[in-house]
Amino acid sequence: MTDHVHDLRSVREATDRLLTAVAKLDNAALTEESHLPGWTRGHILAHLARNADALVNVFEGRPMYESATARDADIERDAGRSLEEHLTDLRDSAARFMATTEPAQDWSRTVELRNGVTDVAANVPFRRWVEADLHHVDLNIGYELTDLPDEFTEREIVFLADRWSGRPEVPPVALVADDGRSWRTGSAGDPAVTVSGTPAGLLAWLAGRGDKGASLTTSGGPLPELPPL
């Protein structure tokens, strides 16, 4: 089983990095565009806070979000707040999430996330780590995919490669990192396409971030287009 204790420690570290970086911004910076189309930096911060509360719901057996409409409305409502309000909300919501993980509980139990997706409880801390660190990159404030911890990058590549596995609209693909590591994704069958590059470059393509594969090398065919996350 996933080491949820280790992952919770990583969540704390990622949250501290995020808060330290965001505290250096000002109110005007929060209204500027992030790397996510249609979202300002304020939208990302609002999403991070509401995601922490949503994961509290998951641990406590409630629906993650009331509805997709309510989720989006909450983000829009909170996006335009001041820096100090965002920082307070980020700290408080992160603390609520961590507090929910502290009582003794069955970490092997199945929990329900968005859109009917299920997972074991032990994997939820890593999902929160992904939210904190990947959206830190999305803020467009100097934290890049190449700055992500090596462990995070490898695990997120594995997670996303698995996510796109078995998808008929994605051809069989071999992923080869320049450090020798390899993975596969896409539909069943022998990979006809090989995608090579740095781990950060592979993650960018799998997650629809950064240059979205522009830095990668492909053989056997063009770089496949992945569905949106």
Side-chain angles (χ1 to χ4, degrees), residues 6-20:
H6 166 80
D7 287 349
L8 286 168
R9 184 165 57 248
S10 297
V11 169
R12 292 188 187 94
E13 293 169 354
T15 302
D16 287 345
R17 280 195 297 273
L18 175 71
L19 288 168
T20 297

Side-chain angles (χ1 to χ4, degrees), residues 28-49:
L30 298 185
T31 68
E32 296 174 354
E33 292 184 359
S34 71
H35 283 315
L36 295 182
W39 270 17
T40 66
R41 292 178 179 129
H43 283 90
I44 289 179
L45 299 182
H47 165 63
L48 280 167

